[in-house]
Amino acid sequence: MTKDTVFRQEFPVKGGDFSRAGEVSWEIKNLLKELGLSTPVVLRAAIASYEAELNIIMYAWEGRLVLSVTPGRVHVVVEDSGPGIEDIELAMTEGYSTATLEMRELGFGAGMGLANIKKNTDAFLITSEVGRGTRLELTFLTNGQRP
Amino acid sequence: MTDNTRHSVQINPEKCIGCVHCMIACPTKAIRIKNGKALIIDELCIDCGECLRFCPQDAVESMTTSFSDLKAFPYKVVIPATVLYGQFDNTTLPNEILFALRRVGFDYVYELSTICELNNTALEMYLATHPKPRPFISSTCPVVIRLIQRRFPSLCEHIVPIEPPRENAAKILRANLPRMTKVPASNIGIFHITPCPAKMVSINHPASMEKSYLDGAISIRDIFKTIYQTLRQSKEDTIMAHLFPETIFSGTGVGTALSGGETRGLKNHRTVAVSGVRDTIRVLNQVELGLLKDVDLLECTVCPDGCIGGPLTVENRYLAKSRILRLVSIMGERTVVDSSDMNLLYHKDFLSFHHPIAPLESPPLDADPAQAISKANRRNEIFQRLPRKDCGACGAPDCRTLADDIVRGLAALDDCPFAKKEET
Ligand SMILES: Nc1ncnc2c1ncn2[C@@H]1O[C@H](COP(=O)(O)OP(=O)(O)O)[C@@H](O)[C@H]1O
Ligand code: SF4
Ligand SMILES: [Mg+2]
């Protein structure tokens, strides 16, 4: 065993399925705790995963979160097939949201999700292709040192 | 010897037949069946009492105070939870129940609703003067405290540092009874009458003070029959109870037997009340993710509909609830707590925690990060060999938990009759 030992698990997410909203990030949160990561890192990863999970449910058709953990870092790749994001900069703006009225009634759609993801990660990449889908790459350093 | 005061429930091996009801019902997966008997894992149990509700054999026993334990104290004081008032029929008034408790043999009976109202007022003052963090979480249900300590450690600092009414009532009695009654302090035993076994843990191992002000807690189930018979046998007491209406009841206070009872009176704050153990776990997770920052106070009670649905109650909870609501409306919204008394107690820190509540986290898969990762991988491999029937035949509540037990060295793959054998 070396410091490159990696744990990997995939979590599928179905678009539109609000009844299961939060289940994937709950599992990720518990897994990271079991792996012995410190509470602040666990919470940052859980918050970012939650927002990413919800964006798939709210906007995409289907997608998945792929978690991989090494002793030094947590990596979450979020991929979906969906409508994609036309103007990423606009989508990242705090308060910008295309959530429907129904979604807002459920308490979602404050337009803070992507900004929150960025704030809670140590490295964040987003790419998107209109009509195809969106991909996020979230990195968290386990020593708790934010660059 | 193991410390059998750590938990509030115990499995009686004579009665346990090793069925899987309690194991499946446990919300924290703290029960296993080993050698044909249910076994509670101390580190995972939060004392919610779900097992006690679901056991068809009556084999889960609550470790509450027995009548023989009371004998140790020459002067016996009792503080019944307001839930008790909902356990009798509509014609039995709270005052009659208190009279019956005196006749049963308690030297002093202290009515709790006023202190419940006092605590609500203290909560309000605390919220008004503490802008952060949000939301605060009320401290009344000891199971919620355990749950936070074990599963949501970051929320310890969200717990309002005000002791629950039962403790503050006992504290007031400890401070005054020796002088009022001339009975030496060491001869006075103070007991709560409780709808749940969890109070016993909060008395034996309090999370926010060195030592509880209570000496024990008597189960409503245990004392109900005695009270009921006394009420029937001494009809003249009923008249006396009516002729000596010396007790002041608080409608707001009695209402705290129901979910939302602590938040209802807080007119100037945004509040949310959640009841039931699974919904409580769900909402605590949301708080940990920062999703409820616009809420000032979150009241969680792990029993359905609040303490009125406690596992040691005897009456159908819907009937009990309707009686409590009726009492609340009869007693009205009138404030019985004097606000200047309240101010004084509050500012003397009389009602506060002695010390903050500290996390009690369960250990990771392994202390070494690389080892923990390998074990998590191994656990997933083991899970692949299991049938996902979640049948419980192995003695674990579901396949995933068996896989977890195996990597932690607590079980073997052979425990599952359907497992695909390991490739060699
Ligand atoms: N996976 C996605 N697929 C398509 N559009 C997305 C996706 N994620 C975010 N968006 C767009 O970006 C906007 C902002 O997202 P976010 O910051 O999470 O706020 P919110 O979800 O509250 O609207 C969304 O309203 C949506 O238009
Ligand atoms: S909700 Fe009330 S009765 Fe139930 S465990 Fe908590 S304090 Fe006890
Ligand atoms: Mg979003």
Side-chain angles (χ1 to χ4, degrees), chain B residues 46-49 53 83 140-144 166 194-199 256-257 275-276 300-313:
Chain B
I46 53 166
D47 298 288
C48 64
R53 292 176 200 271
V83 168
T140 309
C141 175
V143 180
V144 173
R166 57 183 186 276
T194 179
C196 63
K199 305 282 165 54
T256 58
S275 73
C300 293
T301 41
V302 298
C303 293
D305 287 330
C307 297
I308 201 74
L312 299 178
T313 54

Side-chain angles (χ1 to χ4, degrees), chain B residues 83-381:
Chain B
V83 168
L84 188 66
Y85 306 147
Q87 305 295 304
F88 301 87
D89 64 22
N90 262 334
T91 61
T92 309
L93 296 172
N95 227 352
E96 296 165 28
I97 298 166
L98 302 181
F99 250 77
L101 282 169
R102 289 190 191 105
R103 191 173 278 269
V104 163
F106 288 101
D107 300 286
Y108 197 95
V109 182
Y110 192 82
E111 204 286 314
L112 194 56
S113 67
T114 307
I115 304 295
C116 294
E117 185 189 314
L118 182 94
N119 268 54
N120 284 5
T121 321
L123 267 176
E124 179 139 43
M125 284 181 93
Y126 190 85
L127 291 176
T129 49
H130 294 78
K132 267 186 180 169
R134 284 295 185 266
F136 272 108
I137 303 169
S138 88
S139 71
T140 309
C141 175
V143 180
V144 173
I145 304 286
R146 269 297 178 268
L147 196 54
I148 289 175
Q149 286 180 293
R150 293 211 191 284
R151 303 280 295 275
F152 303 96
S154 75
L155 300 184
C156 280
E157 59 192 49
H158 288 245
I159 301 169
V160 185
I162 296 176
E163 289 296 343
R166 57 183 186 276
E167 284 293 345
N168 280 330
K171 187 176 182 183
I172 291 167
L173 290 168
R174 289 244 176 263
N176 293 292
L177 276 182
R179 199 167 29 80
M180 283 165 58
T181 61
K182 311 275 185 288
V183 177
S186 59
N187 283 355
I188 300 177
I190 306 183
F191 299 88
H192 184 47
I193 295 181
T194 179
C196 63
K199 305 282 165 54
M200 221 42 216
V201 185
S202 76
I203 292 169
N204 289 329
H205 301 279
S208 57
M209 49 169 96
E210 301 316 320
K211 190 179 179 306
S212 165
Y213 294 98
L214 290 157
D215 292 298
I218 302 160
S219 154
I220 290 183
R221 266 196 202 178
D222 288 346
I223 204 167
F224 176 79
K225 209 166 133 199
T226 317
I227 302 176
Y228 182 75
Q229 284 167 347
T230 310
L231 281 167
R232 292 193 43 170
Q233 281 159 15
S234 23
K235 290 277 182 219
E236 69 275 18
D237 271 11
T238 312
I239 305 166
M240 288 307 148
H242 298 162
L243 296 176
F244 287 86
E246 87 277 45
T247 312
I248 306 161
F249 292 92
S250 156
T252 316
V254 169
T256 58
L258 309 180
S259 171
E262 282 181 306
T263 53
R264 209 167 47 103
L266 302 183
K267 305 254 160 17
N268 304 316
H269 299 280
R270 287 157 299 181
T271 59
V272 171
V274 173
S275 73
V277 64
R278 285 178 174 78
D279 281 330
T280 295
I281 292 175
R282 209 165 293 145
V283 77
L284 291 176
N285 178 47
Q286 291 176 327
V287 175
E288 228 184 16
L289 296 178
L291 299 172
L292 268 81
K293 286 202 175 108
D294 57 344
V295 171
D296 294 316
L297 182 70
L298 172 66
E299 178 206 288
C300 293
T301 41
V302 298
C303 293
D305 287 330
C307 297
I308 201 74
L312 299 178
T313 54
V314 293
E315 184 55 288
N316 169 312
R317 87 169 188 269
Y318 297 102
L319 291 179
K321 192 176 158 185
S322 112
R323 286 178 198 146
I324 294 286
L325 286 172
R326 185 164 167 270
L327 287 175
V328 171
S329 90
I330 292 172
M331 290 166 185
E333 303 277 341
R334 188 173 54 101
T335 330
V336 303
V337 173
D338 185 291
S339 60
S340 60
D341 292 356
M342 166 62 218
N343 262 313
L344 207 70
L345 285 176
Y346 182 89
H347 289 294
K348 279 172 98 177
D349 269 345
F350 186 88
L351 309 169
S352 319
F353 282 0
H354 291 183
H355 58 74
I357 290 173
L360 268 179
E361 281 178 85
S362 39
L365 282 169
D366 200 289
D368 173 61
Q371 285 285 357
I373 287 170
S374 308
K375 284 189 182 170
N377 279 324
R378 173 102 187 97
R379 184 171 61 181
N380 279 356
E381 285 159 28

Side-chain angles (χ1 to χ4, degrees), chain A residues 51 54-55 58-59 113-114:
Chain A
E51 295 292 354
L54 262 120
N55 280 355
M58 296 209 288
Y59 308 111
L114 289 171

Side-chain angles (χ1 to χ4, degrees), chain B residues 377-386 403 406-407 413:
Chain B
N377 279 324
R378 173 102 187 97
R379 184 171 61 181
N380 279 356
E381 285 159 28
I382 295 168
F383 182 63
Q384 294 308 318
R385 299 178 189 282
L386 300 175
I406 296 172
V407 285
L413 193 64

Side-chain angles (χ1 to χ4, degrees), chain A residues 1-2 5-9 22 25-26 29-31 33-36 39 43 46-47 50-51 69-71, chain B residues 151-154 281 285 288-289 291 361 364-366 369-374 376-377 379-380 400 404 408:
Chain A
M1 251 160 299
T2 68
T5 319
V6 56
F7 171 82
R8 192 176 170 286
Q9 192 164 337
S25 50
W26 169 250
K29 180 170 150 188
N30 289 330
L31 260 165
K33 266 191 217 173
E34 288 170 343
L35 292 176
T39 302
L43 289 184
I47 291 168
Y50 173 82
E51 295 292 354
V69 188
T70 63
Chain B
R151 303 280 295 275
F152 303 96
S154 75
I281 292 175
N285 178 47
E288 228 184 16
L289 296 178
L291 299 172
E361 281 178 85
L365 282 169
D366 200 289
Q371 285 285 357
I373 287 170
S374 308
N377 279 324
R379 184 171 61 181
N380 279 356
R400 206 166 267 288
D404 189 68
R408 290 179 196 262

